[in-house]
Short mmCIF file of all heavy atoms in Angstrom, two decimals:
data_model
loop_
_atom_site.label_atom_id
_atom_site.label_comp_id
_atom_site.label_asym_id
_atom_site.label_seq_id
_atom_site.Cartn_x
_atom_site.Cartn_y
_atom_site.Cartn_z
N ILE U 137 27.97 82.07 174.30
CA ILE U 137 28.15 82.81 175.59
C ILE U 137 28.42 84.24 175.18
O ILE U 137 29.17 84.68 174.54
CB ILE U 137 29.39 82.35 176.29
CG1 ILE U 137 29.22 80.93 176.85
CG2 ILE U 137 29.62 83.23 177.55
CD1 ILE U 137 30.40 80.24 177.42
N ILE U 257 31.13 75.69 180.16
CA ILE U 257 30.77 75.80 181.60
C ILE U 257 31.05 74.55 182.39
O ILE U 257 31.58 74.71 183.53
CB ILE U 257 29.24 76.18 181.60
CG1 ILE U 257 28.91 77.46 180.81
CG2 ILE U 257 28.81 76.31 183.10
CD1 ILE U 257 29.56 78.73 181.35
N PHE U 321 25.34 70.69 187.86
CA PHE U 321 25.38 71.31 186.53
C PHE U 321 24.97 70.24 185.52
O PHE U 321 24.42 70.56 184.50
CB PHE U 321 26.76 72.00 186.32
CG PHE U 321 26.74 73.39 186.66
CD1 PHE U 321 26.94 73.78 187.93
CD2 PHE U 321 26.61 74.51 185.66
CE1 PHE U 321 27.04 75.15 188.32
CE2 PHE U 321 26.68 75.73 186.00
CZ PHE U 321 26.82 76.12 187.35
N ILE U 324 21.13 70.09 185.54
CA ILE U 324 20.46 71.35 185.04
C ILE U 324 20.84 71.75 183.65
O ILE U 324 20.25 72.72 183.03
CB ILE U 324 20.61 72.47 185.95
CG1 ILE U 324 21.96 73.05 186.00
CG2 ILE U 324 20.17 72.10 187.46
CD1 ILE U 324 22.13 74.33 186.80
N SER U 327 18.29 72.46 181.14
CA SER U 327 17.17 73.35 181.62
C SER U 327 17.54 74.75 181.51
O SER U 327 16.69 75.59 181.52
CB SER U 327 16.72 72.96 183.04
OG SER U 327 16.42 71.60 183.19
N VAL U 328 18.75 74.99 181.30
CA VAL U 328 19.21 76.48 181.11
C VAL U 328 20.12 76.66 180.01
O VAL U 328 20.76 75.75 179.49
CB VAL U 328 20.06 76.87 182.55
CG1 VAL U 328 19.16 76.85 183.77
CG2 VAL U 328 21.29 75.95 182.65
N THR U 329 20.17 77.93 179.44
CA THR U 329 21.07 78.30 178.41
C THR U 329 22.59 78.39 178.93
O THR U 329 22.83 78.45 180.08
CB THR U 329 20.58 79.58 177.64
OG1 THR U 329 20.75 80.58 178.68
CG2 THR U 329 19.24 79.45 177.33
N THR U 330 23.38 78.49 177.95
CA THR U 330 24.82 78.64 178.31
C THR U 330 25.02 79.90 179.04
O THR U 330 25.86 80.09 180.01
CB THR U 330 25.72 78.45 177.08
OG1 THR U 330 25.35 77.33 176.33
CG2 THR U 330 27.23 78.55 177.44
N THR U 331 24.45 80.97 178.59
CA THR U 331 24.60 82.28 179.19
C THR U 331 24.00 82.26 180.67
O THR U 331 24.62 82.84 181.48
CB THR U 331 23.89 83.48 178.40
OG1 THR U 331 24.37 83.42 177.09
CG2 THR U 331 24.08 84.79 178.97
N GLN U 332 22.94 81.58 180.77
CA GLN U 332 22.26 81.42 182.13
C GLN U 332 23.22 80.70 183.04
O GLN U 332 23.42 81.01 184.22
CB GLN U 332 20.98 80.76 182.00
CG GLN U 332 19.84 81.61 181.52
CD GLN U 332 18.58 80.89 181.27
OE1 GLN U 332 18.53 79.73 181.11
NE2 GLN U 332 17.43 81.67 181.21
N SER U 333 23.91 79.74 182.46
CA SER U 333 24.90 78.94 183.32
C SER U 333 26.02 79.76 183.71
O SER U 333 26.56 79.73 184.81
CB SER U 333 25.43 77.72 182.47
OG SER U 333 24.34 76.86 182.19
N LEU U 334 26.47 80.64 182.75
CA LEU U 334 27.58 81.56 183.14
C LEU U 334 27.14 82.55 184.22
O LEU U 334 27.94 82.81 185.18
CB LEU U 334 28.01 82.41 181.82
CG LEU U 334 29.09 83.39 181.97
CD1 LEU U 334 30.38 82.72 182.43
CD2 LEU U 334 29.26 84.14 180.73
N VAL U 335 26.03 83.08 184.18
CA VAL U 335 25.51 83.95 185.23
C VAL U 335 25.47 83.10 186.61
O VAL U 335 25.80 83.74 187.65
CB VAL U 335 23.91 84.38 185.02
CG1 VAL U 335 23.38 85.11 186.17
CG2 VAL U 335 24.08 85.40 183.71
N ILE U 336 24.97 81.80 186.54
CA ILE U 336 25.02 81.11 187.77
C ILE U 336 26.45 80.93 188.33
O ILE U 336 26.65 81.07 189.59
CB ILE U 336 24.47 79.71 187.48
CG1 ILE U 336 22.93 79.79 187.22
CG2 ILE U 336 24.65 78.77 188.78
CD1 ILE U 336 22.34 78.59 186.75
N LEU U 337 27.41 80.80 187.47
CA LEU U 337 28.81 80.62 187.83
C LEU U 337 29.27 81.96 188.53
O LEU U 337 29.96 81.81 189.52
CB LEU U 337 29.67 80.31 186.71
CG LEU U 337 29.97 78.91 186.32
CD1 LEU U 337 30.92 78.74 185.10
CD2 LEU U 337 30.45 78.13 187.50
N VAL U 338 28.95 83.08 187.89
CA VAL U 338 29.34 84.32 188.44
C VAL U 338 28.75 84.59 189.94
O VAL U 338 29.49 84.98 190.84
CB VAL U 338 28.88 85.56 187.51
CG1 VAL U 338 29.21 86.88 188.23
CG2 VAL U 338 29.65 85.45 186.25
N CYS U 339 27.47 84.22 190.02
CA CYS U 339 26.76 84.24 191.34
C CYS U 339 27.56 83.30 192.42
O CYS U 339 27.77 83.69 193.51
CB CYS U 339 25.36 83.86 191.23
SG CYS U 339 24.42 85.14 190.32
#
Side-chain angles (χ1 to χ4, degrees):
I137 295 176
I257 302 296
F321 269 82
I324 69 171
S327 306
V328 295
T329 65
T330 305
T331 301
Q332 289 172 336
S333 296
L334 180 62
V335 172
I336 293 171
L337 269 183
V338 173
C339 292

